């Protein structure tokens, strides 16, 4: 049972909220949505990155339910015209869980989203993030140096922050001073000095980063580079002996360079500071209990993209292409709540920046030219699509999930 710092625990509306949150936690939801409708409230859970409808509640109970959530989060229950943010902490199965709560006024009433911040999530290791052996070794090489800028890129919800937290966990040692500036601080890590952005009092990423540089840091993590000012300070920090980690919203690793230049960063500064870039996406993993094997043949779309090139045959015809290709698809069972998937993993594109690529950046090479140069420098480098296809071949995820996340291959 959850324990809130509220009274009247036997009140029906509180029991309703209790049940909604408990059900979400037990289902492994990352977000709980309470959405007003015309006649009934809709409760949805985001599980493994996909929203799933859970239940509907009569609208006459919606206002009381929203007020209960806002009271729990320390928000103003009288203010219904403006968005609000709050936090709360609950205890479930003996474990403390932080909740980040956001309200949004809509024409039908206030919508609430409860983000579940599981404290165990910040204990992930990089080995748990879905890196192949080659990609993980290449990523670790990026931050073995004592200074430079390492970027993690991808769209919202692609696991960038989780990768950064796993990296900080690995680098968190007593002889290092680790400081972060985040918006917001999602997980608290023992031994890391974490600073929250607060624009209302002027604590922006740029101002926070300036203050951090006066705190004798070894390693700095910036939640996101959003503007030229933050980018310039981050690069200056990277060039003056600090190891800097941050995120950007770009679709590819090479696109991070283009984004920095578009912000107004001089090419020679970007080239000098950048140590490497990781692009990533999150894909759902097939449920190991109920995933179904099927055979793709030459008449199926999957054959062209997922067959094994080693079986295409040599010049003598000693190796012949098989008639079928073994793949897996989702099914559905109680273990995965009939979704066919359980858990997520990342697919990666890891781009080290060596001297050759630095010269290309200085000369103004395009995104495609940078990637082509990287393939010549690192023949075994794999794109996001290639990494995802490999995980499909291994039976970790499905063709349908790959297409949902990547769009095409």
């Amino acid at each position: 049972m959850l324990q809130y710092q509220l009274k009247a625990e036997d009140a029906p509306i509180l029991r309703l909220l209790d049940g909604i949150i408990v059900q979400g936690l037990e289902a492994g939801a990352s977000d709980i949505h309470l959405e007003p409708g015309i006649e009934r409230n809709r409760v949805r859970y985001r599980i493994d990155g996909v929203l799933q409808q859970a239940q509907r509640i009569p609208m006459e109970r919606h206002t009381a339910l929203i007020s209960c959530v806002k009271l729990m989060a320390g928000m103003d229950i009288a203010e219904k015209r403006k968005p609000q943010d709050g936090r709360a902490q609950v205890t479930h199965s003996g474990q403390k869980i932080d909740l980040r709560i956001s309200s949004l006024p809509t024409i039908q009433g206030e919508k609430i989203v409860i983000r579940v911040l599981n404290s165990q999530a910040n204990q992930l290791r990089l080995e748990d993030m879905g890196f192949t052996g080659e990609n993980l070794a290449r990523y670790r090489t990026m931050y073995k140096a004592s200074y430079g800028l390492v970027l993690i890129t991808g769209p919202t919800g692609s696991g960038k922050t989780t990768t950064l937290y796993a990296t900080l966990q690995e680098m968190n040692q007593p002889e290092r001073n680790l400081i972060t500036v985040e918006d917001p601080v999602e997980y608290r890590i023992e031994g890391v000095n974490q600073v929250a952005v607060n624009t209302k009092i002027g604590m922006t990423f740029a101002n926070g980063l300036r203050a951090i540089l006066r705190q004798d840091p070894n390693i700095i993590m910036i939640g996101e580079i959003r503007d030229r000012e933050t980018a310039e300070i981050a690069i200056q920090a990277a060039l003056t002996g600090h190891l800097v980690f941050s995120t950007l919203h770009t679709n590819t690793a090479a696109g991070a360079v283009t984004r920095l230049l578009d912000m107004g960063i001089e090419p020679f500064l970007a080239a000098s500071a950048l140590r490497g870039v990781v692009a990533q996406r999150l894909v759902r993993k097939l449920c190991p209990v109920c995933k179904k094997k099927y055979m793709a043949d030459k008449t199926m779309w999957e054959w062209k993209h997922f067959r094994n090139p080693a079986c295409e045959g040599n010049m003598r015809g000693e190796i012949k292409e098989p008639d079928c290709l073994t793949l897996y698809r989702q099914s559905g069972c109680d273990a995965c709540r009939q979704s066919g998937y359980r858990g997520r993993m990342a697919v990666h594109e890891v781009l080290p920046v060596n001297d050759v690529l630095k010269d290309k950046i200085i000369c103004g090479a395009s995104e495609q030219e940078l990637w082509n140069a990287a393939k010549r420098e690192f023949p075994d480098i794999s794109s996001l699509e290639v990494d995802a296809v490999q995980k499909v071949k291994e039976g970790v995820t499905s063709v349908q999930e790959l297409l949902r996340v990547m769009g095409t291959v």
Side-chain angles (χ1 to χ4, degrees), residues 335-388:
C336 61
R337 297 172 58 86
Q338 307 302 323
S339 69
Y341 298 94
R342 193 165 68 178
R344 288 189 292 175
M345 69 185 308
V347 295
H348 300 95
E349 183 177 283
V350 182
L351 176 66
V353 178
N354 64 5
D355 290 340
V356 172
L357 267 68
K358 289 180 187 291
D359 290 340
K360 291 286 185 181
I361 294 172
I362 293 172
C363 293
S366 68
E367 181 178 331
Q368 188 60 53
E369 289 170 340
L370 283 174
W371 183 248
N372 291 339
K375 289 194 291 186
R376 290 191 295 270
E377 290 295 304
F378 311 101
D380 60 341
I381 196 171
S382 59
S383 65
L384 283 164
E385 290 80 4
V386 169
D387 193 36

Side-chain angles (χ1 to χ4, degrees), residues 3-65:
Q3 298 296 324
Y4 308 112
Q5 294 181 349
L6 294 173
K7 297 180 180 180
E9 293 184 356
D10 58 342
I13 198 67
L14 187 55
R15 289 200 300 270
L16 173 62
L17 176 59
D18 186 279
I20 290 171
I21 296 179
V22 167
Q23 184 180 352
L25 295 178
E26 292 179 347
S30 61
D31 299 89
I32 302 171
H33 292 241
L34 307 178
E35 302 171 329
I38 298 176
E39 296 181 354
R40 302 180 76 84
N41 173 308
R42 181 169 63 172
V43 178
R44 294 194 292 174
Y45 299 130
R46 187 173 295 279
I47 302 173
D48 294 333
V50 177
L51 279 171
Q52 300 179 19
Q53 184 162 313
Q55 58 181 295
R56 287 186 174 274
I57 299 168
M59 274 304 295
E60 56 264 25
R61 308 186 74 180
H62 179 75
T63 301
L65 182 64

Side-chain angles (χ1 to χ4, degrees), residues 17 27 74 119 140 150 235 254 283 294-295 327 347:
L17 176 59
S119 60
R140 282 178 167 149
V150 178
I235 286 176
V283 296
Y294 71 100
M295 309 302 290
L327 296 173
V347 295

Side-chain angles (χ1 to χ4, degrees), residues 188-228:
R188 291 169 172 82
I189 304 177
E190 182 68 30
V192 178
N193 303 284
Q194 296 173 270
V195 178
V197 166
N198 188 341
T199 55
K200 293 180 180 178
I201 62 172
M203 176 61 80
T204 61
F205 276 115
N207 290 338
L209 187 49
R210 288 192 186 94
I212 285 174
L213 292 175
R214 296 192 288 270
Q215 291 287 313
D216 187 31
N218 298 108
I219 299 170
I220 300 169
M221 192 269 271
I222 308 167
E224 181 184 348
I225 294 178
R226 297 176 177 173
D227 51 48
R228 176 176 178 175

Side-chain angles (χ1 to χ4, degrees), residues 74-302:
M75 299 157 66
D76 184 358
I77 62 173
E79 180 55 74
K80 300 179 180 180
R81 301 168 300 171
K82 297 180 181 178
Q84 296 187 66
D85 295 297
R87 295 183 76 102
Q89 188 177 81
V90 298
T91 302
H92 179 57
S93 300
Q95 179 185 352
K96 291 184 177 180
I97 298 173
D98 289 326
L99 305 176
R100 194 174 79 222
I101 300 166
S102 170
S103 73
L104 178 70
T106 73
I107 59 172
Q108 294 171 330
E110 287 186 279
K111 169 180 165 62
I112 290 284
V113 174
I114 303 173
R115 169 65 58 88
V116 179
L117 304 176
N118 192 329
S119 60
Q120 291 184 344
N122 69 345
Q123 299 173 9
L124 284 173
R125 305 175 305 149
L126 285 173
E127 288 84 356
D128 302 323
M129 304 304 296
F131 283 98
T132 63
E134 296 82 0
N135 278 341
L136 183 55
R138 190 170 285 136
Y139 176 48
R140 282 178 167 149
T141 300
M142 291 180 186
Y143 58 78
K144 281 185 178 179
S146 59
Y147 69 94
L149 176 63
V150 178
L151 295 173
I152 312 293
T153 75
T156 300
S158 59
K160 301 185 296 297
T161 301
T162 304
T163 298
L164 283 180
Y165 275 118
T167 306
L168 290 180
Q169 286 277 69
E170 184 169 292
M171 305 188 72
N172 187 9
Q173 299 176 8
E175 64 270 17
R176 292 172 173 163
N177 181 17
L178 280 70
I179 308 180
T180 74
V181 55
E182 308 170 56
D183 182 23
V185 175
E186 294 196 7
Y187 305 112
R188 291 169 172 82
I189 304 177
E190 182 68 30
V192 178
N193 303 284
Q194 296 173 270
V195 178
V197 166
N198 188 341
T199 55
K200 293 180 180 178
I201 62 172
M203 176 61 80
T204 61
F205 276 115
N207 290 338
L209 187 49
R210 288 192 186 94
I212 285 174
L213 292 175
R214 296 192 288 270
Q215 291 287 313
D216 187 31
N218 298 108
I219 299 170
I220 300 169
M221 192 269 271
I222 308 167
E224 181 184 348
I225 294 178
R226 297 176 177 173
D227 51 48
R228 176 176 178 175
E229 184 180 19
T230 305
E232 287 176 339
I233 301 171
I235 286 176
Q236 190 62 37
L239 292 174
T240 53
H242 304 91
L243 186 59
V244 181
F245 293 88
S246 191
T247 69
L248 276 177
H249 286 102
T250 64
N251 290 325
T252 64
V257 176
T258 304
R259 180 63 54 85
L260 289 175
L261 301 187
D262 288 344
M263 286 182 178
I265 302 300
E266 293 291 341
F268 75 93
L269 289 175
S272 300
L274 202 55
R275 184 72 55 186
V277 186
V278 176
Q280 68 177 58
R281 301 288 189 280
L282 288 179
V283 296
R284 292 180 293 172
K285 295 190 292 185
L286 285 166
C287 175
V289 177
C290 65
K291 67 180 182 181
K292 297 290 187 182
K293 180 189 297 186
Y294 71 100
M295 309 302 290
D297 60 34
K298 295 181 180 180
T299 66
M300 299 176 68
W301 177 88
E302 290 97 322

